[in-house]
Amino acid sequence: MPTFTREEIEHLGDLARIALTDEETARLQGELNVIAESINKVQEVAGDDVPPTANPVPLEAYLRPDEAVTPLPQEEALAGAPRSEAGMFVAPRILGEE
């Protein structure tokens, strides 16, 4: 059962460029040891017959077929626009002048 030592926690803080107080080091040591123990428990249960997975519920990406279609004509695309000019949508300026 791996346990994180105080020196390892301080080293991790140095690597992350985080100044840790003695209280923070002690708290993180306890929290990381609880996480390590939890991981060990899961590894004990997971045998060779259990496939590794990122999610216990199987997920599938439902994608539509990629079929070429004729694009919307420009006039039809601009038909519902409140304002258009030179074949483009006109929108209010949201950034300052450049």
Side-chain angles (χ1 to χ4, degrees), residues 46-55:
D48 294 335
D49 59 332
V50 179
T53 180
N55 193 326

Side-chain angles (χ1 to χ4, degrees), residues 10-20:
E10 290 169 351
H11 180 66
L12 289 172
D14 290 341
L15 290 174
R17 307 230 189 281
I18 299 172
L20 297 172

Side-chain angles (χ1 to χ4, degrees), residues 60-74:
E60 293 182 34
Y62 296 101
L63 303 174
R64 64 173 172 78
D66 191 13
E67 299 171 356
V69 294
T70 305
L72 204 58
Q74 186 176 21

Side-chain angles (χ1 to χ4, degrees), residues 23 36 40 47:
E23 294 81 23
N40 283 338

Side-chain angles (χ1 to χ4, degrees), residues 76-93:
E76 216 175 303
L78 293 171
R83 192 164 159 227
S84 64
E85 186 178 300
M88 295 181 277
F89 294 102
V90 176
R93 181 178 293 244

Side-chain angles (χ1 to χ4, degrees), residues 3-24:
T3 55
F4 289 91
T5 65
R6 181 172 191 80
E7 292 77 26
E8 289 173 324
I9 302 301
E10 290 169 351
H11 180 66
L12 289 172
D14 290 341
L15 290 174
R17 307 230 189 281
I18 299 172
L20 297 172
T21 64
D22 289 338
E23 294 81 23
E24 290 171 328

